[in-house]
Amino acid sequence: MNQSDPTARDLFEVLMREHGDALLVSIRANLRCAHRSSMRSLEDDIFQETVLVAWRRLADYDRTRPFGPWLRGIARLVSLDLVSRHARQHAVDPTHLASCVDDLTAHAVERDLATFERYRGGDETAMGFRERLAALDDCISRLPAIYAHCVQAAYRDAHTMRDVARAFDEQEETIKKRLQRARAMLAECLTQKGALA
Amino acid sequence: MSDHRDHTIDAILSQHLGENGETMEARYARAFAALTPRGAAQESSRETQRALRLLPARGRQTSRLVSFARAALIALAFGALFLFFPTTTNASGILDRVLAAESRVQSSRGDRRYEIEVVLPPLPRRPDEGTRDRRNSNEIRAEIRLVGTWDLRGDESRLDLTAEGFPTVTRVDATEGAWERRGDGSVRALDERGIWPRWIRDPHGEIAVERMDGLLRLVQRSYLVALARAGDESPEHLRGAIHLVASRQGDVIGPTEIDLWIDTTRNVVLEARLAWQPPALRDRGMREGSRGAFREGTLGEFREGSRGAPPAPPPPLPPDDYRPSRGTLPPFPPRELFLRRIEPITFPANHFTMPSISGP
């Protein structure tokens, strides 16, 4: 498949839509150092640049292998490049930023995503990323109410930690801990379902 | 739970609960728009060289002569593209080029005009208003919209602003000195330090909305910039231009977000949108010090008529305070400020020259 093939663009767009969610998850999971506000811009930059590079390198893609890991591999290289550029532009200590895209995390995240992509939830028909997330919904519904509310406020309503803390009349640290525990419970629940290794 | 697992779950939650079909579709639209031949041509030379290196591997079956001719043609095509299009797609590269172009126009004293629109938040209510007229006590105050033109030539700038139903006020920062023509036609000299509001400042010096190159430098230094081909999120006439979204970071007083739409063929800013989020700081400034300034400033003139206050040098202000000196625009930043390039434009020679002083 290469760009000169008139159907390549359509096929590429279909593949991107199929793997775009997992790509963003991978970008976010690997970018763990930047401040939330700057992270969003970096995520956007990395996503855009990855799509562009993937399109240009489409001829390199081996069709016998899964598209998702190939795409996320590109995203990883793009992340390294953009993060170091970001560090130069904003006079951030490069060692700090480099630590946020380390190989160990990248491999572990990729392993998790690969497992998640294989997850069928007992259904043998093809599933998209969004359908697989039904498993997560189920896990969220099993969380104790105090944790579930925190998760909804922080992720669905996109409130800052400070706002969530204010809404629950708690310390920011308490909310951070609560969210961390909620994520641990969700990870365990997803592992039991076989969605994570 | 391991750190990486925590990050994975965090990212999956953000994706699942924070993104929806619409936001993802907007991402795809922006990303796919950059895949057009022009978008692809804007890639870095390094990437292009990589792509070129890949070509022989695909062409091994064809004769060496054909391969050579094809490679030469492609190299020529890419060479031509580099002549016509910028060579990088990263936001800072684009900013650099626009800034260089803007600085060139500035040093050659080229004329530029922008249509300007300033959206101010509603005026604060006076403490005694509710008791004076109870019928209006629940009235929702409307935002105030000032429109006009912003003209630039070298270091000189001229702002003509009006609000609906009010005469135009002119503010000029010229080589010979700053001056103002008020709504009643009177002209007076101004202290140039107090001519512009303190809406935008950074640690490297004060930058008012009076120089496009200053604004671009501010974005370069103190904003985090993301880039996209302008799509559905942009006004129709700007689609296809490059859309930069800059988010404020660090110790700078300025807009929370700046959108720039850039014509990368000519390296000019076609349109800019500066948006301020109302911080607590602003509320404090309004409560503590803005009422006098309302009466004395341009907005005061629109609202209450000219008071003809004599020019006075602005006193030194604390760095985090929007309160103005006498005779400035409203002290608190607007909600939004739009700049739209109007071209071509040529100003008369005396466009920035102060007319003979008159008035009270």
Side-chain angles (χ1 to χ4, degrees):
Chain A
M1 183 163 62
N2 63 52
Q3 297 94 325
S4 57
D5 181 348
T7 59
R9 170 71 183 261
D10 290 342
L11 190 54
F12 180 73
E13 291 195 10
V14 170
L15 282 169
M16 274 311 307
R17 282 192 164 82
E18 204 176 299
H19 295 275
D21 288 282
L23 173 63
L24 259 179
V25 169
S26 155
I27 291 170
R28 283 195 184 119
N30 282 311
L31 264 187
R32 57 204 184 86
C33 60
H35 185 265
R36 238 170 214 286
S37 59
S38 45
M39 208 166 103
R40 193 153 279 274
S41 313
L42 260 178
E43 279 166 24
D44 287 342
D45 274 356
I46 294 168
F47 185 85
Q48 294 242 341
E49 194 72 14
T50 301
V51 175
L52 207 54
V53 174
W55 169 244
R56 283 202 324 270
R57 308 292 293 268
L58 205 53
D60 296 352
Y61 168 55
D62 176 356
R63 294 182 70 173
T64 60
R65 308 188 72 162
F67 185 76
W70 178 75
L71 188 66
R72 295 193 289 270
I74 290 175
R76 163 118 182 91
L77 296 174
V78 169
S79 300
L80 286 168
D81 185 30
L82 289 189
V83 162
S84 59
R85 255 191 266 173
H86 175 82
R88 281 200 300 276
Q89 279 166 14
H90 299 280
V92 180
D93 178 5
T95 51
H96 167 64
L97 279 174
S99 70
C100 77
V101 280
D102 66 289
D103 283 339
L104 212 62
T105 305
H107 288 135
V109 168
E110 183 51 41
R111 204 172 48 237
D112 277 347
L113 280 175
T115 311
F116 194 69
E117 284 190 322
R118 283 195 299 271
Y119 174 65
R120 291 282 177 272
D123 188 346
E124 285 314 305
T125 55
M127 283 174 98
F129 194 86
R130 291 262 154 195
E131 283 109 63
R132 284 189 197 101
L133 286 171
L136 182 61
D137 279 332
D138 183 49
C139 290
I140 294 172
S141 70
R142 292 181 193 192
L143 284 176
I146 194 168
Y147 293 105
H149 290 156
C150 262
V151 165
Q152 296 289 0
Y155 291 97
R156 191 196 57 200
D157 306 331
H159 288 315
T160 61
M161 211 63 82
R162 188 177 299 170
D163 289 342
V164 179
R166 204 175 295 146
F168 287 90
D169 199 18
E170 296 279 6
Q171 297 288 319
E172 222 174 305
E173 266 315 300
T174 313
I175 298 297
K176 277 184 194 165
K177 281 278 167 208
R178 205 173 280 172
L179 282 172
Q180 207 172 16
R181 277 191 214 114
R183 287 195 294 267
M185 286 185 238
L186 291 173
E188 200 180 325
C189 174
L190 286 173
T191 308
Q192 278 171 8
K193 284 174 179 287
L196 288 180
Chain B
M1 183 172 62
S2 64
D3 265 4
H4 87 264
R5 182 58 61 83
D6 189 50
H7 295 311
T8 306
I9 299 293
D10 178 60
I12 291 179
L13 280 169
S14 297
Q15 185 65 20
H16 183 41
L17 301 176
E19 300 276 348
N20 56 41
E22 265 177 37
T23 56
M24 284 305 290
E25 205 44 53
R27 272 182 207 280
Y28 293 133
R30 280 201 299 272
F32 294 152
L35 305 184
T36 54
R38 188 177 161 192
Q42 287 174 325
E43 283 318 295
S44 68
S45 54
R46 188 186 54 181
E47 291 301 334
T48 308
Q49 290 307 317
R50 274 190 210 154
L52 281 172
R53 275 202 298 275
L54 294 167
L55 285 168
R58 295 205 307 275
R60 274 178 199 139
Q61 285 89 16
T62 56
S63 76
R64 183 169 289 188
L65 190 64
V66 172
S67 297
F68 178 75
R70 187 184 291 168
L73 262 175
I74 290 166
L76 261 176
F78 274 110
L81 286 171
F82 285 134
L83 285 178
F84 292 108
F85 297 117
T87 51
T88 65
T89 50
N90 66 67
S92 62
I94 288 176
L95 260 182
D96 286 345
R97 284 192 295 275
V98 179
L99 184 52
E102 196 63 43
S103 303
R104 270 198 301 277
V105 180
Q106 163 117 12
S107 54
S108 65
R109 293 179 57 78
D111 291 347
R112 281 154 299 152
R113 166 167 283 179
Y114 290 86
E115 178 192 330
I116 184 167
E117 189 179 340
V118 185
V119 183
L120 296 163
L123 287 177
R125 187 182 300 282
R126 295 171 186 222
D128 59 337
E129 266 185 322
T131 53
R132 239 181 5 197
D133 186 355
R134 290 203 173 273
R135 282 171 306 173
N136 294 332
S137 60
N138 293 323
E139 172 196 359
I140 297 169
R141 292 184 167 229
E143 61 189 18
I144 299 149
R145 201 169 283 264
L146 309 177
V147 291
T149 51
W150 179 42
D151 299 339
L152 302 167
R153 178 191 282 161
D155 288 334
E156 296 178 307
S157 58
R158 171 179 173 141
L159 184 68
D160 292 272
L161 263 187
T162 184
E164 197 182 348
F166 290 90
T168 301
V169 171
T170 303
R171 284 277 175 97
V172 179
D173 191 2
T175 318
E176 307 93 65
W179 58 273
E180 177 191 56
R181 182 190 284 123
R182 312 200 71 170
D184 59 5
S186 61
V187 176
R188 61 174 187 150
L190 290 176
D191 186 306
E192 60 188 32
R193 286 175 302 162
I195 185 171
W196 305 122
R198 299 159 64 87
W199 295 341
I200 306 178
R201 297 177 67 216
D202 77 354
H204 302 269
E206 201 159 311
I207 299 169
V209 187
E210 61 176 325
R211 282 178 60 158
M212 182 52 87
D213 60 329
L215 185 66
L216 293 170
R217 276 195 194 94
L218 176 78
V219 169
Q220 247 185 354
R221 274 199 299 256
S222 309
Y223 283 69
L224 188 66
V225 183
L227 162 150
R229 178 75 59 189
D232 292 345
E233 84 291 351
S234 302
E236 201 164 336
H237 64 282
L238 294 170
R239 288 182 196 163
I242 285 292
H243 181 189
L244 296 183
V245 182
S247 311
R248 188 181 63 182
Q249 59 173 18
D251 297 329
V252 57
I253 294 177
T256 328
E257 202 169 88
I258 299 176
D259 286 74
L260 297 169
W261 285 269
I262 290 167
D263 175 350
T264 47
T265 313
R266 295 179 300 145
N267 290 321
V268 295
V269 176
L270 297 174
E271 193 161 323
R273 172 184 165 269
L274 287 64
W276 282 259
Q277 262 175 12
L281 170 68
R282 197 175 79 191
D283 296 341
R284 197 188 73 200
M286 284 164 66
R287 275 200 307 277
E288 288 177 1
S290 65
R291 183 141 299 127
F294 270 123
R295 286 196 293 273
E296 289 158 3
T298 305
L299 182 64
E301 180 169 337
F302 287 133
R303 304 287 298 196
E304 297 176 14
S306 170
R307 304 254 305 188
L317 296 171
D320 63 341
D321 201 322
Y322 284 120
R323 279 179 292 174
S325 58
R326 292 154 77 88
T328 61
L329 281 159
F332 49 86
R335 186 169 286 165
E336 282 180 305
L337 192 153
F338 296 91
L339 297 167
R340 298 181 189 97
R341 192 180 174 93
I342 298 174
E343 53 193 343
I345 190 80
T346 309
F347 306 131
N350 62 351
H351 191 59
F352 298 91
T353 311
M354 181 165 73
S356 53
I357 292 185
S358 63

